[in-house]
């Protein structure tokens, strides 16, 4: 049996495959070349294999995304690595006002295959300016896609599809996932199975076969999926509460369709995300579910978010701010009838 890959290794292999498949593709970022290989070692070895295509840039997030935009306008493709997702704010203008607008503002559709990778989230002790989950600030922008990796989705397929769409995109990657293991096809763990459903890039559905309807439908982006799995196991074993977990790779309104049938049958629906509340993907999805299933839902859709404050560096304080498996479990128990 082949050894299971860690998510960081899987990402490295996916980037390598993308570079090998297209000599017009460039990988840009700060300190991404060997021997350093990036802050989280995702690009280790790639500059040695592809010295022309992997380019280390100065410390200017706006500058390196601007270079990526120029490459795209000239018929090339680009993947940008932000050292930390927090720093993507420095490139907001290049992403929102140039890359996204360039797709349609010249009178005809123009491919802009630019992908901005963002290592996101806390639970690593990096403190307030290196631990944020900023996905919500890029939602709802025309011609700008937002994705989040998970232990269930194939990153090679994700990068191929995102670049092929010709629309600029951000790919958020929870930093804690990097050291975790990617799940083999169909198996979430020794208790739960999963399938990918819906249109590309698919939504992972994690469940125990034969249990329908579940007591609760959980919906999370990829970075929260591991904590949701822990909560699902605890709820099943300790409380005999069954959950079905939905993990979309694309954070937009296309996530709704695969979820609707289960949400209509379940006892309750809980959406969990790691960012602070207000103008978020979870809030928008909850609104869509209420609108689509009004009269069928047995109770309000509950949204679990991080606390409204900065993310501290100290581990015990960080736990008070960020979403924990226990928070998810407690929310489900409160809504269980």
């Amino acid at each position: 049996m082949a050894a299971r890959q860690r998510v960081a290794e899987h990402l490295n292999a996916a980037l390598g495959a993308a570079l090998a498949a297209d000599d017009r593709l460039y990988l840009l970022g700060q300190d991404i070349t060997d021997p350093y290989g990036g802050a989280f070692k995702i690009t280790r070895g790639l500059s040695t294999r592809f010295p022309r295509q992997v380019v280390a840039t100065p410390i200017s997030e706006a500058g390196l995304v601007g270079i990526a935009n120029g490459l795209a306008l000239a018929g090339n493709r680009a993947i940008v690595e932000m050292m930390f997702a927090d720093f993507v704010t420095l490139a907001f203008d290049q992403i929102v006002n140039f890359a996204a607008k360039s797709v349609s503002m010249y009178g005809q559709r123009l491919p802009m295959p630019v992908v901005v990778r963002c290592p996101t989230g806390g639970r690593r002790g990096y403190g307030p300016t290196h631990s944020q989950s900023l996905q919500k600030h890029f939602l709802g922008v025309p011609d700008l896609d937002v994705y989040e990796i998970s232990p269930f989705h194939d990153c090679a397929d994700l990068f191929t599809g995102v670049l092929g769409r010709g629309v600029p995109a951000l790919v958020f990657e929870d930093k804690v996932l990097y050291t975790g293991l990617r799940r083999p096809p169909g198996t979430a763990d020794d208790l739960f199975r999963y399938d990918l459903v819906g249109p590309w890039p698919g939504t992972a559905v994690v469940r125990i076969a034969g249990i329908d309807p579940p007591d609760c439908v959980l919906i999370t982006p990829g970075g929260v999926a591991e904590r949701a799995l822990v909560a699902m196991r605890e709820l099943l074993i300790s409380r005999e509460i069954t959950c079905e977990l939905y993990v979309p790779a694309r954070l937009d309104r296309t996530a709704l369709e695969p979820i609707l049938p289960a949400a209509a049958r379940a006892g309750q629906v809980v959406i969990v995300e790691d960012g602070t509340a207000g103008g978020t993907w979870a809030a928008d999805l909850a609104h869509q579910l209420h609108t689509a299933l009004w009269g069928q839902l047995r109770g309000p859709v509950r949204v679990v978010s991080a606390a409204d404050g900065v993310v501290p560096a100290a581990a015990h304080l960080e736990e008070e701010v960020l979403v924990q498996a226990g928070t998810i479990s407690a929310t489900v128990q409160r809504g269980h009838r």
Side-chain angles (χ1 to χ4, degrees):
M1 181 181 294
R4 290 172 61 187
Q5 278 186 319
R6 296 194 181 278
V7 171
E9 296 167 337
H10 175 61
L11 271 167
N12 179 275
L15 291 169
L19 291 164
D22 187 355
D23 62 7
R24 298 173 303 152
L25 176 63
Y26 290 84
L27 180 59
L28 312 172
Q30 298 161 19
D31 295 330
I32 64 170
T33 52
D34 293 330
Y36 192 62
F40 299 98
K41 312 308 173 191
I42 306 301
T43 60
R44 179 181 283 167
L46 296 180
S47 65
T48 300
R49 292 172 57 196
F50 308 99
R52 181 183 64 84
Q53 294 167 261
V54 180
V55 181
T57 66
I59 302 175
S60 172
E61 285 73 18
L64 70 94
V65 176
I67 292 169
N69 290 338
L71 286 167
L73 287 173
N76 300 288
R77 298 176 174 189
I79 298 176
V80 171
E81 176 176 298
M82 291 286 154
M83 188 173 286
F84 287 83
D86 312 69
F87 305 159
V88 75
T89 56
L90 297 166
F92 195 86
D93 182 64
Q94 282 291 336
I95 295 168
V96 173
N97 285 331
F98 190 85
K101 302 299 183 291
S102 292
V103 174
S104 59
M105 72 178 180
Y106 299 119
Q108 60 184 4
R109 296 289 291 183
L110 178 69
M112 285 293 290
V114 174
V115 178
V116 181
R117 295 180 42 244
C118 299
T120 189
R123 300 182 295 144
R124 293 285 294 258
Y126 293 147
T129 61
H130 294 69
S131 305
Q132 299 169 89
S133 296
L134 300 174
Q135 291 89 326
K136 68 180 180 181
H137 299 290
F138 297 94
L139 298 173
V141 178
D143 294 317
L144 180 65
D145 290 345
V146 179
Y147 300 86
E148 187 161 336
I149 68 165
S150 84
F152 312 113
H153 291 86
D154 185 334
C155 290
D157 176 68
L158 182 64
F159 288 134
T160 298
V162 172
L163 289 166
R165 279 176 53 79
V167 175
L170 293 100
V171 176
F172 286 87
E173 304 166 4
D174 190 284
K175 297 188 284 287
V176 174
L177 285 184
Y178 287 154
T179 55
L181 292 171
R182 181 170 179 261
R183 296 301 195 274
T187 303
D189 60 18
D190 61 338
L191 190 57
F192 298 102
R193 304 277 303 170
Y194 78 91
D195 302 289
L196 290 177
V197 302
W200 178 92
T203 295
V205 185
V206 185
R207 55 194 160 198
I208 296 179
I211 296 180
D212 186 50
D215 295 314
C216 177
V217 163
L218 283 172
I219 309 166
T220 77
V224 187
E226 295 283 8
R227 282 166 278 172
L229 273 174
V230 172
M232 287 171 66
R233 175 181 287 271
E234 191 274 333
L235 287 163
L236 180 64
I237 294 173
S238 300
R239 303 287 179 173
E240 297 185 353
I241 298 174
T242 60
C243 297
E244 197 164 283
L245 172 64
Y246 286 76
V247 185
R250 185 172 171 183
L251 303 185
D252 67 1
R253 295 194 161 208
T254 62
L256 178 66
E257 184 178 349
I259 298 168
L260 278 175
R265 299 192 305 272
Q268 63 170 317
V269 179
V270 176
I271 311 174
V272 189
E273 60 188 352
D274 234 359
T276 56
T280 68
W281 170 76
D284 187 52
L285 184 58
H287 168 70
Q288 293 176 73
L289 286 166
H290 274 291
T291 302
L293 299 177
W294 184 252
Q296 300 179 63
L297 292 168
R298 301 182 195 177
V301 176
R302 298 169 184 268
V303 175
V304 179
S305 307
D308 187 13
V310 299
V311 182
H316 67 290
L317 296 176
E318 201 175 32
E319 289 182 0
E320 295 177 6
V321 172
L322 300 176
V323 173
Q324 307 297 322
T327 314
I328 301 171
S329 178
T331 302
V332 172
Q333 290 180 56
R334 283 197 298 272
H336 183 61
R337 296 184 178 90

